[in-house]
Amino acid sequence: MAPMVLIIGATGNTGRSVVEHLPQLLKDTSLSSARLLALTRSSSSPTAQQLAKIQGVEVIEQNWVEITEEWLRDHEVVRAFVASHNEPTQFAEEGQFMVNALRAGVRYVVRISTTAANVHPDYRAYYPRSHWAIEQMLDQPEFDEMDFTSLQPNGFSTLFLSGAAEMVKSFRSTGKQEPLRLIIDQDTPTGLVDPYDVGVLAAHLLAQENSAPHNGKRYVVNGPEDITGEQVTKLAEHYLGEPVKDVRYADLSVIVDYAGNYPGPKNVIRSLKYAPVTSWEGKAKAETTSKEVLELYAPKRTVGDVLRQMLDGKAI
């Protein structure tokens, strides 16, 4: 059998573009004969069915947290993309996968991390500490046989624009304005990045002939330009055709609601309110993008591009 490149989270916000771009990028490399195995929770979803049409891609239903060392070895996985969840069990589950991957002979893993300024052992939100712990684990000499790269997007535009998209859609349906709730700060520039672009960057890394230059690296990823909450409001007004009557910047109501409905430890989930603080402090500007990112694949899609697609479904 040919070697396998495993895509975990293939139908997610970053994994889809990995699957769409990687086959072409691998064509002229030593991995040109590699098979792509795309994991999904539902192979009948429209996205999964579309990906299954790509030559060289196999889409299967598989819970990645249940993948064993033997499974990886049987499928001859040599490289992997990992876009983990950010539930409180992340470290245990992603950490187990990494140990299994090492023992199965996987040579290179590209993983999605989080906001670079948050990845510290004492950060007040819980999930950046999980990313820090995973990266520290992979840095240890016991993992010398498996290269890794962590991509640290400073903020996904789809998340930060969700309030604007929901508000405009509601207005189009009812003709009445609901409050515009934005996680982003009113005046602080932030380099929001489209998760699709992050997946394309990951595909470029997975297609590298030699992963060693990228081993152990944490690459900060931003979009092509900074944007403020006030500018997002202007974009929303363009689609409304009238001024926004009630805008609430640095709004954390979505986190409050999520914590209230969460079946597990609510105190841990409530710590999510600290996640956007560094962006409000100006630590997530486009200028922080790693130079290697700009050399490999500089993200292209602006916040305006992403909001247009979220509202009208038109790819840019």
Side-chain angles (χ1 to χ4, degrees):
M1 292 176 67
M4 181 79 76
V5 179
L6 179 67
I7 312 298
I8 290 174
T11 54
N13 59 2
T14 55
R16 177 168 64 94
S17 51
V18 177
V19 180
E20 289 178 349
H21 287 78
L22 191 53
Q24 186 66 33
L25 292 169
L26 290 176
K27 273 190 174 181
D28 297 321
T29 74
S30 59
L31 286 171
S32 59
S33 63
R35 300 162 295 145
L36 267 64
L37 186 60
L39 302 192
T40 181
R41 285 176 291 184
S42 173
S43 58
S44 62
S45 72
T47 300
Q49 292 182 344
Q50 192 67 33
L51 295 179
K53 296 177 182 178
I54 300 173
Q55 186 174 1
V57 174
E58 180 183 359
V59 178
I60 66 169
E61 292 184 9
Q62 169 68 48
N63 185 350
W64 70 273
V65 303
E66 299 295 341
I67 288 177
T68 64
E69 173 187 343
E70 292 74 23
W71 189 98
L72 291 165
R73 188 177 292 109
D74 289 345
H75 286 79
E76 299 185 55
V77 176
V78 294
R79 293 189 175 188
F81 170 79
V82 179
S84 176
H85 60 75
N86 63 357
E87 297 286 326
T89 56
Q90 178 194 344
F91 177 78
E93 293 174 343
E94 187 177 349
Q96 187 64 55
F97 174 84
M98 295 300 180
V99 170
N100 293 343
L102 172 69
R103 296 179 61 85
V106 175
R107 308 305 299 174
Y108 184 38
V109 174
V110 176
R111 63 180 301 277
I112 301 298
S113 182
T114 190
T115 309
N118 296 1
V119 185
H120 296 286
D122 61 345
Y123 199 73
R124 295 174 78 178
Y126 74 89
Y127 72 92
R129 299 194 302 269
S130 296
H131 285 292
W132 175 85
I134 290 287
E135 292 169 358
Q136 292 297 310
M137 182 181 82
L138 296 176
D139 270 336
Q140 302 310 305
E142 289 83 355
F143 280 83
D144 281 351
E145 297 302 312
M146 187 176 77
D147 290 350
F148 84 95
T149 305
S150 275
L151 300 182
Q152 298 181 324
N154 272 335
F156 283 150
S157 50
T158 47
L159 172 63
F160 280 75
L161 292 173
S162 60
E166 291 169 7
M167 187 261 200
V168 172
K169 288 178 179 179
S170 174
F171 178 79
R172 287 176 171 177
S173 175
T174 67
K176 297 180 180 179
Q177 281 196 31
E178 298 292 334
L180 174 57
R181 303 177 185 273
L182 297 174
I183 299 173
I184 194 171
D185 181 66
Q186 180 175 359
D187 301 313
T188 307
T190 304
L192 300 178
V193 64
D194 180 15
Y196 190 91
D197 273 343
V198 178
V200 179
L201 170 62
H204 277 76
L205 283 163
L206 288 166
Q208 295 298 297
E209 288 280 3
N210 181 12
S211 59
H214 306 285
N215 181 33
K217 300 295 181 65
R218 285 80 156 162
Y219 291 151
V220 180
V221 191
N222 295 291
E225 62 185 17
D226 287 320
I227 195 163
T228 66
E230 188 170 358
Q231 289 173 314
V232 174
T233 300
K234 295 297 183 184
L235 287 173
E237 289 176 340
H238 168 76
Y239 290 101
L240 292 172
E242 63 183 46
V244 172
K245 298 174 182 177
D246 181 4
V247 57
R248 304 175 189 183
Y249 299 107
D251 184 271
L252 299 175
S253 56
V254 64
I255 296 172
V256 173
D257 293 343
Y258 177 57
N261 295 320
Y262 189 73
K266 290 180 170 52
N267 184 48
V268 172
I269 297 301
R270 278 193 288 266
S271 72
L272 288 170
K273 65 184 179 182
Y274 297 107
V277 169
T278 48
S279 68
W280 301 339
E281 295 173 341
K283 297 177 180 177
K285 295 181 181 179
E287 65 187 24
T288 63
T289 300
S290 298
K291 65 179 180 62
E292 294 90 346
V293 171
L294 301 177
E295 293 166 355
L296 277 169
Y297 177 81
K300 298 175 173 59
R301 285 162 54 88
T302 67
V303 167
D305 294 335
V306 175
L307 183 58
R308 188 181 319 141
Q309 184 171 2
M310 292 174 74
L311 290 172
D312 300 329
K314 297 177 181 178
I316 305 302

